[in-house]
Amino acid sequence: MIVVRLVKRLGRRLSTRRWPAILIALASAVVTYALFLYFIFAYYLADDPRLVPDTFRHARRPVLITAHPDDETLFFSPSILYHRHDPHVTRSLLVISSGNYNGIGEQRQTEIHNSCAALGISLDHCVVLDHPELQDNPKKWWDERLVEEIVASYIKKWEADLIMTFDEGGISGHINHRAVSAGIRKYVTAKENAPPAFTLQSTWLLRKYSSLMDLIPSTVPFLWKILKNPVSPATIPGNPKSADRSLVLATGKESILLVSSWKTYLESRAAFGQHESQYSWDRMLYLVISRYMWFNTLERI
């Protein structure tokens, strides 16, 4: 009864106000809450075991595998910049094609190496391929077996202990992105000793371009886990592995939330700035409104 009376009272108050004022108030509340979540997850809970499982946090030789130059910054910035200042971590980037769809593959190869330098990735761990069967083409599905073989060779060469790549949706739906994901899935399922592989989760269009606003739905499962485990597992003496168990969702999959600080966001923008051939007004807008520039949600294969 108390709830009913409160709802009726709220309804009467809203009915006496003009809708523009109500909408402005609601929008302000949403923005404020999103900024609050950003502060909490980018600073206070950054690297918390309830958000990042041990398999990801303790990786020392992670490798990011993408389809084209600039994928590493437009989609994976929070992931590739994770632990960027840790001297014990060696990050690697493997780009399957040179992005030669418009005939500027050589320029884009130079740009990706400049981007790696801005990201703090050494040139010997920044490889761009130019295989005749794996050329940038939005209408061609790449040979999954060939992708699998190439990935396997670089995983072995770099002794990688973690893989990051696209999910089945490929974020933008690009057919090359999805083929890379399929090839890596084949590798992971075929190799018993394959390192843990995490895929960046695709979202529908409105969420993709809602910037920090998408933290509101994206943080729901993580907030639930934090409420269930109000004390970080990392702070429990003698129980270091409880963090992984606390992060497995009802589906039985490990999920990750990486939110870039303001400094990390600026670093990712600086890295994308090396891709001069890709700079345009819509990409400038993308750098602000895309959720992937601010945070990544990943799931283990």
mmCIF file of all heavy atoms in Angstrom, residues 56 59-65 72-73 76-94 115-127 154 158-162 164 264 267-268 271:
data_model
loop_
_atom_site.group_PDB
_atom_site.id
_atom_site.type_symbol
_atom_site.label_atom_id
_atom_site.label_comp_id
_atom_site.label_asym_id
_atom_site.label_seq_id
_atom_site.Cartn_x
_atom_site.Cartn_y
_atom_site.Cartn_z
ATOM 1 N N PHE A 56 43.331 -13.414 -17.184
ATOM 2 C CA PHE A 56 43.589 -12.196 -17.950
ATOM 3 C C PHE A 56 44.556 -11.283 -17.204
ATOM 4 O O PHE A 56 45.502 -10.754 -17.784
ATOM 5 C CB PHE A 56 42.274 -11.460 -18.204
ATOM 6 C CG PHE A 56 42.326 -10.482 -19.349
ATOM 7 C CD1 PHE A 56 41.910 -10.848 -20.614
ATOM 8 C CD2 PHE A 56 42.776 -9.184 -19.153
ATOM 9 C CE1 PHE A 56 41.956 -9.948 -21.676
ATOM 10 C CE2 PHE A 56 42.828 -8.274 -20.201
ATOM 11 C CZ PHE A 56 42.409 -8.664 -21.470
ATOM 12 N N ALA A 59 48.296 -12.554 -17.236
ATOM 13 C CA ALA A 59 48.944 -12.850 -18.518
ATOM 14 C C ALA A 59 50.182 -11.979 -18.679
ATOM 15 O O ALA A 59 50.153 -10.779 -18.395
ATOM 16 C CB ALA A 59 47.977 -12.627 -19.665
ATOM 17 N N ARG A 60 51.254 -12.581 -19.149
ATOM 18 C CA ARG A 60 52.503 -11.851 -19.345
ATOM 19 C C ARG A 60 52.870 -11.684 -20.817
ATOM 20 O O ARG A 60 53.701 -10.844 -21.155
ATOM 21 C CB ARG A 60 53.648 -12.577 -18.609
ATOM 22 C CG ARG A 60 53.527 -12.498 -17.085
ATOM 23 C CD ARG A 60 53.648 -11.061 -16.636
ATOM 24 N NE ARG A 60 53.398 -10.870 -15.199
ATOM 25 C CZ ARG A 60 52.259 -10.434 -14.698
ATOM 26 N NH1 ARG A 60 51.244 -10.162 -15.510
ATOM 27 N NH2 ARG A 60 52.100 -10.277 -13.404
ATOM 28 N N ARG A 61 52.241 -12.465 -21.689
ATOM 29 C CA ARG A 61 52.534 -12.365 -23.120
ATOM 30 C C ARG A 61 51.232 -12.387 -23.927
ATOM 31 O O ARG A 61 51.000 -13.290 -24.729
ATOM 32 C CB ARG A 61 53.468 -13.501 -23.550
ATOM 33 C CG ARG A 61 54.843 -13.451 -22.898
ATOM 34 C CD ARG A 61 55.699 -14.638 -23.283
ATOM 35 N NE ARG A 61 55.078 -15.909 -22.893
ATOM 36 C CZ ARG A 61 55.131 -16.419 -21.672
ATOM 37 N NH1 ARG A 61 55.774 -15.775 -20.710
ATOM 38 N NH2 ARG A 61 54.539 -17.562 -21.391
ATOM 39 N N PRO A 62 50.374 -11.393 -23.719
ATOM 40 C CA PRO A 62 49.098 -11.358 -24.451
ATOM 41 C C PRO A 62 49.296 -10.956 -25.903
ATOM 42 O O PRO A 62 50.188 -10.163 -26.228
ATOM 43 C CB PRO A 62 48.297 -10.298 -23.691
ATOM 44 C CG PRO A 62 49.346 -9.367 -23.148
ATOM 45 C CD PRO A 62 50.519 -10.248 -22.798
ATOM 46 N N VAL A 63 48.458 -11.497 -26.774
ATOM 47 C CA VAL A 63 48.508 -11.136 -28.188
ATOM 48 C C VAL A 63 47.110 -10.739 -28.654
ATOM 49 O O VAL A 63 46.125 -11.412 -28.340
ATOM 50 C CB VAL A 63 49.052 -12.297 -29.051
ATOM 51 C CG1 VAL A 63 48.227 -13.562 -28.879
ATOM 52 C CG2 VAL A 63 49.114 -11.897 -30.523
ATOM 53 N N LEU A 64 47.033 -9.635 -29.364
ATOM 54 C CA LEU A 64 45.785 -9.176 -29.964
ATOM 55 C C LEU A 64 45.834 -9.506 -31.451
ATOM 56 O O LEU A 64 46.811 -9.186 -32.133
ATOM 57 C CB LEU A 64 45.619 -7.668 -29.772
ATOM 58 C CG LEU A 64 44.463 -7.003 -30.531
ATOM 59 C CD1 LEU A 64 43.119 -7.580 -30.098
ATOM 60 C CD2 LEU A 64 44.494 -5.491 -30.338
ATOM 61 N N ILE A 65 44.782 -10.147 -31.951
ATOM 62 C CA ILE A 65 44.726 -10.538 -33.353
ATOM 63 C C ILE A 65 43.541 -9.841 -34.007
ATOM 64 O O ILE A 65 42.392 -10.031 -33.601
ATOM 65 C CB ILE A 65 44.591 -12.066 -33.499
ATOM 66 C CG1 ILE A 65 45.743 -12.758 -32.765
ATOM 67 C CG2 ILE A 65 44.586 -12.463 -34.980
ATOM 68 C CD1 ILE A 65 45.613 -14.272 -32.698
ATOM 69 N N GLU A 72 42.956 -2.149 -33.916
ATOM 70 C CA GLU A 72 43.519 -2.215 -32.562
ATOM 71 C C GLU A 72 43.154 -0.991 -31.744
ATOM 72 O O GLU A 72 43.049 -1.071 -30.507
ATOM 73 C CB GLU A 72 45.041 -2.408 -32.627
ATOM 74 C CG GLU A 72 45.870 -1.161 -32.859
ATOM 75 C CD GLU A 72 45.781 -0.587 -34.276
ATOM 76 O OE1 GLU A 72 45.243 -1.265 -35.184
ATOM 77 O OE2 GLU A 72 46.254 0.544 -34.495
ATOM 78 N N THR A 73 42.937 0.157 -32.399
ATOM 79 C CA THR A 73 42.589 1.368 -31.659
ATOM 80 C C THR A 73 41.090 1.633 -31.662
ATOM 81 O O THR A 73 40.522 2.021 -30.641
ATOM 82 C CB THR A 73 43.313 2.594 -32.249
ATOM 83 O OG1 THR A 73 43.083 2.647 -33.664
ATOM 84 C CG2 THR A 73 44.800 2.503 -31.992
ATOM 85 N N PHE A 76 39.755 -2.097 -29.789
ATOM 86 C CA PHE A 76 40.416 -2.800 -28.690
ATOM 87 C C PHE A 76 41.287 -1.913 -27.802
ATOM 88 O O PHE A 76 42.107 -2.435 -27.045
ATOM 89 C CB PHE A 76 41.286 -3.924 -29.262
ATOM 90 C CG PHE A 76 40.522 -5.052 -29.888
ATOM 91 C CD1 PHE A 76 40.246 -5.050 -31.249
ATOM 92 C CD2 PHE A 76 40.092 -6.135 -29.128
ATOM 93 C CE1 PHE A 76 39.553 -6.104 -31.846
ATOM 94 C CE2 PHE A 76 39.404 -7.187 -29.704
ATOM 95 C CZ PHE A 76 39.132 -7.172 -31.062
ATOM 96 N N SER A 77 41.154 -0.610 -27.881
ATOM 97 C CA SER A 77 42.039 0.272 -27.112
ATOM 98 C C SER A 77 42.111 -0.083 -25.624
ATOM 99 O O SER A 77 43.213 -0.228 -25.071
ATOM 100 C CB SER A 77 41.607 1.733 -27.284
ATOM 101 O OG SER A 77 41.952 2.199 -28.563
ATOM 102 N N PRO A 78 40.983 -0.228 -24.913
ATOM 103 C CA PRO A 78 41.088 -0.562 -23.488
ATOM 104 C C PRO A 78 41.778 -1.898 -23.239
ATOM 105 O O PRO A 78 42.449 -2.060 -22.212
ATOM 106 C CB PRO A 78 39.617 -0.606 -23.037
ATOM 107 C CG PRO A 78 38.909 0.278 -24.007
ATOM 108 C CD PRO A 78 39.593 0.033 -25.318
ATOM 109 N N SER A 79 41.655 -2.829 -24.182
ATOM 110 C CA SER A 79 42.260 -4.158 -24.010
ATOM 111 C C SER A 79 43.750 -4.148 -24.305
ATOM 112 O O SER A 79 44.555 -4.683 -23.536
ATOM 113 C CB SER A 79 41.561 -5.179 -24.920
ATOM 114 O OG SER A 79 40.194 -5.304 -24.605
ATOM 115 N N ILE A 80 44.155 -3.555 -25.423
ATOM 116 C CA ILE A 80 45.561 -3.579 -25.808
ATOM 117 C C ILE A 80 46.401 -2.676 -24.905
ATOM 118 O O ILE A 80 47.615 -2.872 -24.758
ATOM 119 C CB ILE A 80 45.740 -3.172 -27.293
ATOM 120 C CG1 ILE A 80 47.158 -3.508 -27.781
ATOM 121 C CG2 ILE A 80 45.414 -1.707 -27.493
ATOM 122 C CD1 ILE A 80 47.527 -4.969 -27.707
ATOM 123 N N LEU A 81 45.775 -1.695 -24.273
ATOM 124 C CA LEU A 81 46.505 -0.810 -23.366
ATOM 125 C C LEU A 81 46.495 -1.315 -21.926
ATOM 126 O O LEU A 81 47.096 -0.687 -21.046
ATOM 127 C CB LEU A 81 45.920 0.603 -23.418
ATOM 128 C CG LEU A 81 46.270 1.398 -24.683
ATOM 129 C CD1 LEU A 81 45.440 2.676 -24.770
ATOM 130 C CD2 LEU A 81 47.755 1.721 -24.721
ATOM 131 N N TYR A 82 45.839 -2.430 -21.688
ATOM 132 C CA TYR A 82 45.796 -3.002 -20.344
ATOM 133 C C TYR A 82 47.208 -3.438 -19.926
ATOM 134 O O TYR A 82 47.909 -4.120 -20.677
ATOM 135 C CB TYR A 82 44.835 -4.188 -20.321
ATOM 136 C CG TYR A 82 44.662 -4.844 -18.972
ATOM 137 C CD1 TYR A 82 43.961 -4.198 -17.963
ATOM 138 C CD2 TYR A 82 45.192 -6.103 -18.719
ATOM 139 C CE1 TYR A 82 43.788 -4.801 -16.721
ATOM 140 C CE2 TYR A 82 45.019 -6.714 -17.489
ATOM 141 C CZ TYR A 82 44.322 -6.053 -16.488
ATOM 142 O OH TYR A 82 44.152 -6.642 -15.264
ATOM 143 N N HIS A 83 47.650 -3.032 -18.755
ATOM 144 C CA HIS A 83 48.982 -3.340 -18.208
ATOM 145 C C HIS A 83 50.108 -2.839 -19.114
ATOM 146 O O HIS A 83 51.187 -3.436 -19.179
ATOM 147 C CB HIS A 83 49.130 -4.852 -17.990
ATOM 148 C CG HIS A 83 48.469 -5.313 -16.727
ATOM 149 N ND1 HIS A 83 48.452 -6.636 -16.328
ATOM 150 C CD2 HIS A 83 47.782 -4.630 -15.759
ATOM 151 C CE1 HIS A 83 47.810 -6.747 -15.173
ATOM 152 N NE2 HIS A 83 47.382 -5.541 -14.823
ATOM 153 N N ARG A 84 49.842 -1.730 -19.823
ATOM 154 C CA ARG A 84 50.827 -1.221 -20.781
ATOM 155 C C ARG A 84 52.113 -0.746 -20.114
ATOM 156 O O ARG A 84 53.175 -0.713 -20.762
ATOM 157 C CB ARG A 84 50.209 -0.058 -21.569
ATOM 158 C CG ARG A 84 49.839 1.142 -20.694
ATOM 159 C CD ARG A 84 48.856 2.044 -21.400
ATOM 160 N NE ARG A 84 48.458 3.175 -20.573
ATOM 161 C CZ ARG A 84 47.618 3.097 -19.534
ATOM 162 N NH1 ARG A 84 47.124 1.930 -19.178
ATOM 163 N NH2 ARG A 84 47.280 4.171 -18.861
ATOM 164 N N HIS A 85 52.042 -0.378 -18.834
ATOM 165 C CA HIS A 85 53.228 0.128 -18.158
ATOM 166 C C HIS A 85 53.894 -0.933 -17.270
ATOM 167 O O HIS A 85 54.834 -0.618 -16.539
ATOM 168 C CB HIS A 85 52.875 1.351 -17.307
ATOM 169 C CG HIS A 85 52.366 2.513 -18.111
ATOM 170 N ND1 HIS A 85 53.053 3.022 -19.191
ATOM 171 C CD2 HIS A 85 51.222 3.253 -18.003
ATOM 172 C CE1 HIS A 85 52.375 4.032 -19.714
ATOM 173 N NE2 HIS A 85 51.261 4.187 -19.020
ATOM 174 N N ASP A 86 53.422 -2.155 -17.355
ATOM 175 C CA ASP A 86 54.014 -3.243 -16.571
ATOM 176 C C ASP A 86 55.241 -3.776 -17.308
ATOM 177 O O ASP A 86 55.121 -4.329 -18.404
ATOM 178 C CB ASP A 86 52.995 -4.365 -16.377
ATOM 179 C CG ASP A 86 53.459 -5.410 -15.377
ATOM 180 O OD1 ASP A 86 54.691 -5.607 -15.262
ATOM 181 O OD2 ASP A 86 52.611 -6.053 -14.730
ATOM 182 N N PRO A 87 56.445 -3.649 -16.754
ATOM 183 C CA PRO A 87 57.660 -4.089 -17.453
ATOM 184 C C PRO A 87 57.733 -5.599 -17.643
ATOM 185 O O PRO A 87 58.539 -6.087 -18.453
ATOM 186 C CB PRO A 87 58.788 -3.588 -16.544
ATOM 187 C CG PRO A 87 58.161 -3.505 -15.181
ATOM 188 C CD PRO A 87 56.738 -3.089 -15.422
ATOM 189 N N HIS A 88 56.899 -6.345 -16.913
ATOM 190 C CA HIS A 88 56.909 -7.796 -17.018
ATOM 191 C C HIS A 88 55.955 -8.314 -18.093
ATOM 192 O O HIS A 88 55.887 -9.516 -18.331
ATOM 193 C CB HIS A 88 56.541 -8.423 -15.671
ATOM 194 C CG HIS A 88 57.430 -7.989 -14.539
ATOM 195 N ND1 HIS A 88 58.767 -8.328 -14.454
ATOM 196 C CD2 HIS A 88 57.170 -7.209 -13.450
ATOM 197 C CE1 HIS A 88 59.296 -7.805 -13.366
ATOM 198 N NE2 HIS A 88 58.351 -7.117 -12.743
ATOM 199 N N VAL A 89 55.223 -7.401 -18.726
ATOM 200 C CA VAL A 89 54.240 -7.788 -19.741
ATOM 201 C C VAL A 89 54.749 -7.396 -21.125
ATOM 202 O O VAL A 89 55.125 -6.241 -21.344
ATOM 203 C CB VAL A 89 52.865 -7.127 -19.476
ATOM 204 C CG1 VAL A 89 51.889 -7.436 -20.611
ATOM 205 C CG2 VAL A 89 52.308 -7.602 -18.138
ATOM 206 N N THR A 90 54.754 -8.358 -22.038
ATOM 207 C CA THR A 90 55.125 -8.109 -23.430
ATOM 208 C C THR A 90 53.894 -8.293 -24.299
ATOM 209 O O THR A 90 53.405 -9.419 -24.471
ATOM 210 C CB THR A 90 56.232 -9.077 -23.897
ATOM 211 O OG1 THR A 90 57.385 -8.916 -23.069
ATOM 212 C CG2 THR A 90 56.614 -8.799 -25.349
ATOM 213 N N ARG A 91 53.363 -7.206 -24.822
ATOM 214 C CA ARG A 91 52.157 -7.259 -25.642
ATOM 215 C C ARG A 91 52.520 -7.393 -27.115
ATOM 216 O O ARG A 91 53.536 -6.860 -27.564
ATOM 217 C CB ARG A 91 51.321 -5.996 -25.426
ATOM 218 C CG ARG A 91 50.724 -5.893 -24.027
ATOM 219 C CD ARG A 91 50.188 -4.502 -23.716
ATOM 220 N NE ARG A 91 51.274 -3.525 -23.710
ATOM 221 C CZ ARG A 91 51.228 -2.368 -24.354
ATOM 222 N NH1 ARG A 91 50.171 -2.027 -25.070
ATOM 223 N NH2 ARG A 91 52.249 -1.535 -24.300
ATOM 224 N N SER A 92 51.687 -8.138 -27.849
ATOM 225 C CA SER A 92 51.931 -8.359 -29.276
ATOM 226 C C SER A 92 50.662 -8.068 -30.063
ATOM 227 O O SER A 92 49.546 -8.217 -29.549
ATOM 228 C CB SER A 92 52.364 -9.810 -29.532
ATOM 229 O OG SER A 92 53.525 -10.141 -28.795
ATOM 230 N N LEU A 93 50.861 -7.668 -31.319
ATOM 231 C CA LEU A 93 49.742 -7.381 -32.218
ATOM 232 C C LEU A 93 49.982 -8.078 -33.551
ATOM 233 O O LEU A 93 51.026 -7.896 -34.172
ATOM 234 C CB LEU A 93 49.594 -5.876 -32.436
ATOM 235 C CG LEU A 93 48.558 -5.442 -33.488
ATOM 236 C CD1 LEU A 93 47.147 -5.848 -33.062
ATOM 237 C CD2 LEU A 93 48.635 -3.927 -33.723
ATOM 238 N N LEU A 94 49.008 -8.887 -33.967
ATOM 239 C CA LEU A 94 49.061 -9.551 -35.262
ATOM 240 C C LEU A 94 47.875 -9.073 -36.087
ATOM 241 O O LEU A 94 46.719 -9.277 -35.701
ATOM 242 C CB LEU A 94 48.994 -11.077 -35.089
ATOM 243 C CG LEU A 94 48.900 -11.902 -36.379
ATOM 244 C CD1 LEU A 94 50.125 -11.676 -37.260
ATOM 245 C CD2 LEU A 94 48.725 -13.385 -36.053
ATOM 246 N N SER A 115 51.388 3.308 -34.949
ATOM 247 C CA SER A 115 50.391 3.109 -33.893
ATOM 248 C C SER A 115 50.951 2.216 -32.795
ATOM 249 O O SER A 115 50.758 2.483 -31.601
ATOM 250 C CB SER A 115 49.112 2.494 -34.483
ATOM 251 O OG SER A 115 48.176 2.199 -33.463
ATOM 252 N N CYS A 116 51.654 1.152 -33.181
ATOM 253 C CA CYS A 116 52.264 0.255 -32.195
ATOM 254 C C CYS A 116 53.248 1.017 -31.321
ATOM 255 O O CYS A 116 53.320 0.809 -30.105
ATOM 256 C CB CYS A 116 52.959 -0.908 -32.893
ATOM 257 S SG CYS A 116 51.831 -2.217 -33.434
ATOM 258 N N ALA A 117 54.024 1.904 -31.949
ATOM 259 C CA ALA A 117 54.977 2.707 -31.176
ATOM 260 C C ALA A 117 54.248 3.564 -30.151
ATOM 261 O O ALA A 117 54.680 3.697 -29.001
ATOM 262 C CB ALA A 117 55.806 3.575 -32.118
ATOM 263 N N ALA A 118 53.109 4.143 -30.554
ATOM 264 C CA ALA A 118 52.321 4.968 -29.632
ATOM 265 C C ALA A 118 51.696 4.127 -28.526
ATOM 266 O O ALA A 118 51.501 4.603 -27.399
ATOM 267 C CB ALA A 118 51.226 5.706 -30.399
ATOM 268 N N LEU A 119 51.394 2.871 -28.830
ATOM 269 C CA LEU A 119 50.791 1.966 -27.850
ATOM 270 C C LEU A 119 51.831 1.295 -26.955
ATOM 271 O O LEU A 119 51.477 0.582 -26.018
ATOM 272 C CB LEU A 119 49.976 0.881 -28.567
ATOM 273 C CG LEU A 119 48.724 1.349 -29.309
ATOM 274 C CD1 LEU A 119 48.189 0.238 -30.208
ATOM 275 C CD2 LEU A 119 47.648 1.815 -28.326
ATOM 276 N N GLY A 120 53.096 1.485 -27.279
ATOM 277 C CA GLY A 120 54.151 0.874 -26.483
ATOM 278 C C GLY A 120 54.430 -0.564 -26.852
ATOM 279 O O GLY A 120 54.952 -1.328 -26.028
ATOM 280 N N ILE A 121 54.108 -0.957 -28.082
ATOM 281 C CA ILE A 121 54.363 -2.321 -28.552
ATOM 282 C C ILE A 121 55.606 -2.296 -29.434
ATOM 283 O O ILE A 121 55.681 -1.515 -30.387
ATOM 284 C CB ILE A 121 53.160 -2.861 -29.353
ATOM 285 C CG1 ILE A 121 51.906 -2.874 -28.475
ATOM 286 C CG2 ILE A 121 53.444 -4.259 -29.893
ATOM 287 C CD1 ILE A 121 50.642 -3.250 -29.227
ATOM 288 N N SER A 122 56.573 -3.139 -29.132
ATOM 289 C CA SER A 122 57.817 -3.159 -29.894
ATOM 290 C C SER A 122 57.553 -3.631 -31.322
ATOM 291 O O SER A 122 56.629 -4.427 -31.573
ATOM 292 C CB SER A 122 58.847 -4.074 -29.228
ATOM 293 O OG SER A 122 58.365 -5.415 -29.171
ATOM 294 N N LEU A 123 58.352 -3.169 -32.275
ATOM 295 C CA LEU A 123 58.129 -3.470 -33.684
ATOM 296 C C LEU A 123 58.247 -4.953 -33.996
ATOM 297 O O LEU A 123 57.584 -5.459 -34.912
ATOM 298 C CB LEU A 123 59.119 -2.670 -34.542
ATOM 299 C CG LEU A 123 58.887 -1.156 -34.602
ATOM 300 C CD1 LEU A 123 59.893 -0.494 -35.522
ATOM 301 C CD2 LEU A 123 57.457 -0.847 -35.058
ATOM 302 N N ASP A 124 59.088 -5.692 -33.250
ATOM 303 C CA ASP A 124 59.208 -7.125 -33.506
ATOM 304 C C ASP A 124 57.995 -7.902 -32.994
ATOM 305 O O ASP A 124 57.871 -9.095 -33.268
ATOM 306 C CB ASP A 124 60.500 -7.677 -32.898
ATOM 307 C CG ASP A 124 60.597 -7.411 -31.404
ATOM 308 O OD1 ASP A 124 60.019 -6.418 -30.935
ATOM 309 O OD2 ASP A 124 61.260 -8.195 -30.705
ATOM 310 N N HIS A 125 57.118 -7.229 -32.276
ATOM 311 C CA HIS A 125 55.872 -7.850 -31.823
ATOM 312 C C HIS A 125 54.661 -7.154 -32.456
ATOM 313 O O HIS A 125 53.553 -7.258 -31.946
ATOM 314 C CB HIS A 125 55.772 -7.798 -30.302
ATOM 315 C CG HIS A 125 56.629 -8.816 -29.616
ATOM 316 N ND1 HIS A 125 56.150 -10.038 -29.195
ATOM 317 C CD2 HIS A 125 57.952 -8.808 -29.305
ATOM 318 C CE1 HIS A 125 57.116 -10.729 -28.638
ATOM 319 N NE2 HIS A 125 58.227 -10.009 -28.697
ATOM 320 N N CYS A 126 54.907 -6.443 -33.547
ATOM 321 C CA CYS A 126 53.848 -5.743 -34.291
ATOM 322 C C CYS A 126 53.941 -6.184 -35.743
ATOM 323 O O CYS A 126 54.746 -5.653 -36.509
ATOM 324 C CB CYS A 126 54.033 -4.233 -34.158
ATOM 325 S SG CYS A 126 52.783 -3.243 -35.024
ATOM 326 N N VAL A 127 53.132 -7.163 -36.118
ATOM 327 C CA VAL A 127 53.245 -7.794 -37.435
ATOM 328 C C VAL A 127 51.985 -7.547 -38.257
ATOM 329 O O VAL A 127 50.865 -7.770 -37.780
ATOM 330 C CB VAL A 127 53.492 -9.308 -37.299
ATOM 331 C CG1 VAL A 127 53.446 -9.993 -38.665
ATOM 332 C CG2 VAL A 127 54.841 -9.553 -36.621
ATOM 333 N N TYR A 154 52.268 -17.841 -34.894
ATOM 334 C CA TYR A 154 52.674 -16.668 -34.110
ATOM 335 C C TYR A 154 52.444 -16.869 -32.616
ATOM 336 O O TYR A 154 53.203 -16.334 -31.797
ATOM 337 C CB TYR A 154 51.940 -15.422 -34.606
ATOM 338 C CG TYR A 154 52.594 -14.836 -35.835
ATOM 339 C CD1 TYR A 154 52.142 -15.159 -37.112
ATOM 340 C CD2 TYR A 154 53.690 -13.985 -35.727
ATOM 341 C CE1 TYR A 154 52.754 -14.640 -38.249
ATOM 342 C CE2 TYR A 154 54.309 -13.472 -36.850
ATOM 343 C CZ TYR A 154 53.844 -13.807 -38.103
ATOM 344 O OH TYR A 154 54.466 -13.302 -39.213
ATOM 345 N N TRP A 158 55.722 -16.283 -30.321
ATOM 346 C CA TRP A 158 55.727 -15.293 -29.242
ATOM 347 C C TRP A 158 55.473 -15.918 -27.866
ATOM 348 O O TRP A 158 55.461 -15.203 -26.860
ATOM 349 C CB TRP A 158 54.678 -14.218 -29.527
ATOM 350 C CG TRP A 158 55.051 -13.302 -30.649
ATOM 351 C CD1 TRP A 158 56.312 -12.939 -31.032
ATOM 352 C CD2 TRP A 158 54.151 -12.600 -31.536
ATOM 353 N NE1 TRP A 158 56.263 -12.065 -32.087
ATOM 354 C CE2 TRP A 158 54.951 -11.840 -32.427
ATOM 355 C CE3 TRP A 158 52.767 -12.553 -31.678
ATOM 356 C CZ2 TRP A 158 54.406 -11.041 -33.428
ATOM 357 C CZ3 TRP A 158 52.212 -11.759 -32.666
ATOM 358 C CH2 TRP A 158 53.023 -11.014 -33.535
ATOM 359 N N GLU A 159 55.223 -17.242 -27.844
ATOM 360 C CA GLU A 159 54.927 -17.937 -26.587
ATOM 361 C C GLU A 159 53.782 -17.246 -25.844
ATOM 362 O O GLU A 159 53.841 -17.021 -24.630
ATOM 363 C CB GLU A 159 56.176 -18.020 -25.699
ATOM 364 C CG GLU A 159 57.319 -18.780 -26.335
ATOM 365 C CD GLU A 159 58.543 -18.857 -25.436
ATOM 366 O OE1 GLU A 159 58.661 -17.990 -24.528
ATOM 367 O OE2 GLU A 159 59.360 -19.761 -25.611
ATOM 368 N N ALA A 160 52.766 -16.893 -26.587
ATOM 369 C CA ALA A 160 51.635 -16.149 -26.029
ATOM 370 C C ALA A 160 50.896 -16.965 -24.968
ATOM 371 O O ALA A 160 50.734 -18.184 -25.105
ATOM 372 C CB ALA A 160 50.670 -15.756 -27.143
ATOM 373 N N ASP A 161 50.466 -16.283 -23.925
ATOM 374 C CA ASP A 161 49.678 -16.954 -22.886
ATOM 375 C C ASP A 161 48.265 -16.377 -22.795
ATOM 376 O O ASP A 161 47.524 -16.689 -21.864
ATOM 377 C CB ASP A 161 50.385 -16.861 -21.529
ATOM 378 C CG ASP A 161 50.649 -15.417 -21.081
ATOM 379 O OD1 ASP A 161 50.267 -14.482 -21.810
ATOM 380 O OD2 ASP A 161 51.246 -15.233 -20.003
ATOM 381 N N LEU A 162 47.882 -15.530 -23.770
ATOM 382 C CA LEU A 162 46.527 -14.981 -23.817
ATOM 383 C C LEU A 162 46.247 -14.475 -25.219
ATOM 384 O O LEU A 162 47.118 -13.879 -25.856
ATOM 385 C CB LEU A 162 46.382 -13.829 -22.816
ATOM 386 C CG LEU A 162 45.010 -13.146 -22.762
ATOM 387 C CD1 LEU A 162 44.017 -14.031 -22.012
ATOM 388 C CD2 LEU A 162 45.096 -11.777 -22.098
ATOM 389 N N MET A 164 43.419 -12.227 -27.607
ATOM 390 C CA MET A 164 42.272 -11.327 -27.687
ATOM 391 C C MET A 164 41.916 -11.147 -29.156
ATOM 392 O O MET A 164 42.801 -10.973 -29.996
ATOM 393 C CB MET A 164 42.600 -9.962 -27.065
ATOM 394 C CG MET A 164 42.926 -10.007 -25.590
ATOM 395 S SD MET A 164 43.463 -8.381 -24.957
ATOM 396 C CE MET A 164 45.128 -8.284 -25.648
ATOM 397 N N THR A 264 44.280 6.892 -20.308
ATOM 398 C CA THR A 264 44.322 5.794 -21.271
ATOM 399 C C THR A 264 43.524 6.134 -22.516
ATOM 400 O O THR A 264 43.933 5.808 -23.640
ATOM 401 C CB THR A 264 43.767 4.511 -20.626
ATOM 402 O OG1 THR A 264 44.500 4.222 -19.440
ATOM 403 C CG2 THR A 264 43.873 3.327 -21.587
ATOM 404 N N GLU A 267 45.603 8.253 -24.684
ATOM 405 C CA GLU A 267 46.642 7.445 -25.319
ATOM 406 C C GLU A 267 46.084 6.691 -26.522
ATOM 407 O O GLU A 267 46.746 6.565 -27.558
ATOM 408 C CB GLU A 267 47.250 6.475 -24.317
ATOM 409 C CG GLU A 267 48.097 7.147 -23.249
ATOM 410 C CD GLU A 267 48.609 6.174 -22.205
ATOM 411 O OE1 GLU A 267 48.053 5.052 -22.111
ATOM 412 O OE2 GLU A 267 49.568 6.516 -21.495
ATOM 413 N N SER A 268 44.860 6.195 -26.394
ATOM 414 C CA SER A 268 44.248 5.481 -27.513
ATOM 415 C C SER A 268 43.946 6.428 -28.670
ATOM 416 O O SER A 268 44.104 6.063 -29.843
ATOM 417 C CB SER A 268 42.971 4.767 -27.046
ATOM 418 O OG SER A 268 41.986 5.689 -26.620
ATOM 419 N N ALA A 271 47.152 7.048 -30.464
ATOM 420 C CA ALA A 271 47.529 5.909 -31.302
ATOM 421 C C ALA A 271 46.724 5.894 -32.596
ATOM 422 O O ALA A 271 47.274 5.665 -33.684
ATOM 423 C CB ALA A 271 47.323 4.602 -30.538
#
